[in-house]
Amino acid sequence: MSTSPPPPPPLTTTAGEGDDGAAKTDDASATAVSVAFEKKTAPPESPESIRLRRWIIASFWAIVIFVGLPIWWKTTTIHRENLPLDQMMDWAEGRACRPVFPLRISIEADSLQDLEKQHLLRATQHALDDLNDFSAHHLRLQLSPSVNASVATNGVSAGKVEEEVALTIRVLPGVTTDSELQSYAPVLDIHYTPNQIPSVSSSSSPLGSYIANTLRGLFAEEQAMIAYLLSTSSAPPERSPKALAPEVAESLSKWRTRSMKYSRTYHLTFSLFTPSAVPSTWAIEAALKSHLAPLLSSLSPISNFTIDTQVQFYATPGVGGSILQKADLSGFINAAEWPLSPSIGGAPTVNFILYVGNMSVEGGGKSWLIPQWGGVVIQSDIEDLRPAMLIFANQLMSLLGAPESGSLALRLMTLMRVRSAGLLLKASGTMGSLARLTLALPSISIPRSVADGVYTTIEHLRKACDGLSGKEGLENARIAEEAAEKAFFEKSMVGQVYFPDEHKVAVYMPLLGPMAVPLVMGVVKEIKAWNIRRRGR
């Protein structure tokens, strides 16, 4: 039988011995912790190291503040020239200029005595003033000096007084009372019967009333055109003309839609399109010289013209059939295959097409006008180009914006005054748009060229406003409109209109962020260390 070994005797210690062992253990642990703590703590910095670190941080910030910021400010500062915004808004809102068209009408009455002439002049002027309800367009009568009484049939007259005359009225004795407007001269012949000779003692004159009504009819279309332009502008209500009749307003709206934008130069392209190989030639040079050159010469004070011609064989129109519906006229031009010249040299191109064929438009016509583009004439025989040239001449006048009634001389003078008014109003509106753009975008740059263009525009607007009824008014209005358009569409300004501020943030953050973080954190750490050292003192 086995026996287990006896248990070990119990360990017995005295109270003094246990306390000494625990104390030794605690001292050893404290010593180890103290040694570990002393290893993790950085040695104290010397004053020279602290001073050097501060100088390094200050140097970086000094470079940023005194070098970087001035360079950034200089290279990114937006240059804005001072613009006369108040004057620009005055022109745009119609406060700086009141367009007035005083037309001088000269009366030649050699068959009447001097007192009878004066009485006829006063009676006619009084009748005109009573009929006129549009103060911006008024006729002013004057007696023609006897030395300048004769006016040539070509419209050229001698004397400085005659240069400013819009129309000359020749009062002539006759069998019946009627009027006749010369075709190629601004001359109106008024025939009167012997019993219509104005009496000096009478307060009214039937002949004066007849002349006033005739003049009102002659200039009614011009007055309506100018009134329509002013009514569609931003003129003050007190200066706006009376409301036009609905049918007149609709007709003038179509006139404005079909008229081309004014240009100092137009390019005319005359094209012959034939569905086969014949005819291979056409006498276009002789036709242009005979039928169109005189008109272009008369239009030279308003615009210049360049001309080219072309012939295209096997030209198929965009629509077929012998009878063209009015709805198909817009698709007649086969733009995909017909080589029609675009704008050449920046000048607008007016296309005139003569198509050889037996087609006709619904209703019997063989020609039509394409607004702001040109005209088309269909003709089966091109041996005689005179009919086509006459149609092209009328289409050109319509595209330029000339009135439809009156003699050629009066239509050209009306076109000049209407174009002057249109350019003046357009330039004034552009000035207002530029002023509003400048106020709406304070971060957009305004170069010196824009300021020069604005001052040039205002200067010529004043000159144009003072002489709207003559050639100088048209020339000044044209210069003002060109300068205003050039200033408004300045390349350096147009690019910044679509440059949002978010784009600037997206550009600056990747560049400045990595540089700014170390500089800012260095300053923050130095401030914290300074606070710790101050508390430890």
Side-chain angles (χ1 to χ4, degrees):
M1 175 174 155
S2 62
T3 59
S4 59
L11 297 176
T12 58
T13 58
T14 62
E17 293 178 352
D19 294 338
D20 292 340
K24 292 179 179 179
T25 303
D26 293 340
D27 292 340
S29 299
T31 303
V33 171
S34 176
V35 171
F37 180 77
E38 290 178 357
K39 290 181 179 179
K40 293 182 180 180
T41 302
E45 290 184 288
S46 62
E48 291 78 8
S49 299
I50 296 174
R51 191 180 304 108
L52 178 61
R53 185 173 66 252
R54 290 179 178 177
W55 275 110
I56 292 174
I57 296 175
S59 300
F60 275 105
W61 277 103
I63 293 174
V64 171
I65 295 174
F66 297 106
V67 179
L69 287 179
I71 294 177
W72 171 80
W73 183 265
K74 183 67 176 179
T75 55
T76 60
T77 297
I78 297 175
H79 178 71
R80 289 173 63 90
E81 288 284 343
N82 293 325
L83 299 181
L85 299 179
D86 293 338
Q87 297 184 41
M88 295 166 67
M89 293 304 299
D90 288 342
W91 280 101
E93 296 174 0
R95 295 190 297 267
C97 172
R98 181 181 181 182
V100 178
F101 300 84
L103 305 185
R104 295 183 178 273
I105 309 297
S106 180
I107 297 180
E108 295 180 1
D110 296 338
S111 59
L112 301 179
Q113 300 296 326
D114 291 341
L115 292 178
E116 294 174 341
K117 293 179 184 179
Q118 295 290 341
H119 182 265
L120 177 63
L121 179 68
R122 289 192 297 268
T124 307
Q125 185 66 66
H126 183 71
L128 279 174
D129 294 339
D130 292 341
L131 293 174
N132 187 24
D133 55 357
F134 183 33
S135 59
H137 186 277
H138 54 272
L139 307 178
R140 288 293 174 259
L141 303 180
Q142 65 181 23
L143 290 176
S144 177
S146 58
V147 67
N148 295 327
S150 61
V151 178
T153 57
N154 59 359
V156 179
S157 57
K160 183 177 180 180
V161 177
E162 295 292 335
E163 294 177 358
E164 302 177 355
V165 172
L167 179 67
T168 299
I169 300 177
R170 296 190 298 194
V171 182
L172 305 172
V175 180
T176 59
T177 303
D178 57 9
S179 61
E180 180 183 0
L181 183 63
Q182 300 293 327
S183 301
Y184 300 101
V187 177
L188 175 65
D189 292 336
I190 299 291
H191 298 90
Y192 66 94
T193 57
N195 59 353
Q196 286 186 321
I197 297 177
S199 175
V200 179
S201 59
S202 62
S203 59
S204 61
S205 172
L207 181 59
S209 300
Y210 178 79
I211 295 175
N213 289 319
T214 304
L215 289 175
R216 179 177 173 80
L218 283 178
F219 292 97
E221 188 174 5
E222 175 182 343
Q223 188 178 98
M225 287 180 172
I226 296 175
Y228 180 78
L229 291 177
L230 294 178
S231 64
T232 55
S233 66
S234 57
E238 62 272 10
R239 296 184 182 179
S240 299
K242 294 182 179 180
L244 299 172
E247 60 275 7
V248 176
E250 182 180 0
S251 176
L252 292 174
S253 178
K254 294 179 180 179
W255 158 74
R256 194 170 189 178
T257 301
R258 69 170 177 264
S259 301
M260 300 189 68
K261 178 184 176 182
Y262 175 78
S263 176
R264 190 66 183 92
T265 302
Y266 293 96
H267 182 74
L268 308 182
T269 299
F270 294 88
S271 306
L272 175 65
F273 288 91
T274 174
S276 61
V278 292
S280 59
T281 60
W282 59 328
I284 185 62
E285 288 80 6
L288 291 175
K289 184 177 180 180
S290 301
H291 305 295
L292 205 63
L295 175 62
L296 299 182
S297 177
S298 300
L299 287 168
S300 58
I302 303 174
S303 296
N304 298 323
F305 300 90
T306 59
I307 300 176
D308 72 343
T309 62
Q310 64 175 343
V311 179
Q312 180 68 21
F313 303 110
Y314 301 102
T316 304
V319 294
S322 58
I323 303 297
L324 299 176
Q325 303 295 325
K326 292 184 178 180
D328 299 334
L329 297 181
S330 59
F332 182 84
I333 304 298
N334 191 350
E337 299 181 4
W338 292 4
L340 298 174
S341 300
S343 297
I344 298 178
T349 297
V350 185
N351 294 277
F352 295 106
I353 295 177
L354 177 59
Y355 187 81
V356 181
N358 293 319
M359 300 178 179
S360 62
V361 184
E362 180 185 12
K366 287 183 174 290
S367 64
W368 64 91
L369 182 72
I370 302 177
Q372 300 186 18
W373 190 85
V376 180
V377 174
I378 299 176
Q379 191 169 315
S380 58
D381 185 10
I382 63 169
E383 292 295 331
D384 184 12
L385 294 178
R386 182 176 182 275
M389 291 296 106
L390 294 180
I391 295 175
F392 287 153
N394 289 330
Q395 291 176 344
L396 177 61
M397 292 290 288
S398 297
L399 291 171
L400 294 179
E404 299 179 356
S405 61
S407 64
L408 178 61
L410 288 183
R411 293 174 69 190
L412 294 178
M413 296 175 70
T414 297
L415 176 61
M416 182 182 299
R417 289 187 285 267
V418 170
R419 285 299 192 183
S420 300
L423 291 174
L424 183 141
L425 295 175
K426 184 178 180 181
S428 301
T430 304
M431 286 290 97
S433 300
L434 181 57
R436 288 187 289 269
L437 178 66
T438 303
L439 295 174
L441 299 176
S443 61
I444 192 173
S445 67
I446 302 177
R448 182 63 187 174
S449 58
V450 174
D452 293 339
V454 169
Y455 286 110
T456 300
T457 301
I458 293 177
E459 177 185 358
H460 286 278
L461 281 176
R462 291 196 184 101
K463 295 180 180 179
C465 185
D466 295 336
L468 284 174
S469 58
K471 298 178 182 179
E472 294 183 358
L474 176 62
E475 183 65 18
N476 286 308
R478 180 186 64 82
I479 296 175
E481 192 270 341
E482 290 180 354
E485 291 289 317
K486 185 178 180 181
F488 185 80
F489 292 103
E490 172 67 28
K491 294 181 180 179
S492 60
M493 291 181 59
V494 173
Q496 296 182 33
V497 172
Y498 309 100
F499 195 85
D501 294 334
E502 292 80 0
H503 184 73
K504 299 178 182 178
V505 175
V507 170
Y508 282 131
M509 286 301 295
L511 298 176
L512 301 182
M515 293 187 297
V517 171
L519 293 175
V520 174
M521 294 304 298
V523 173
V524 172
K525 289 182 178 180
E526 184 62 27
I527 293 175
K528 289 182 177 180
W530 177 77
N531 287 331
I532 293 173
R533 288 193 298 270
R534 187 185 63 174
R535 292 173 184 175
R537 292 178 181 177

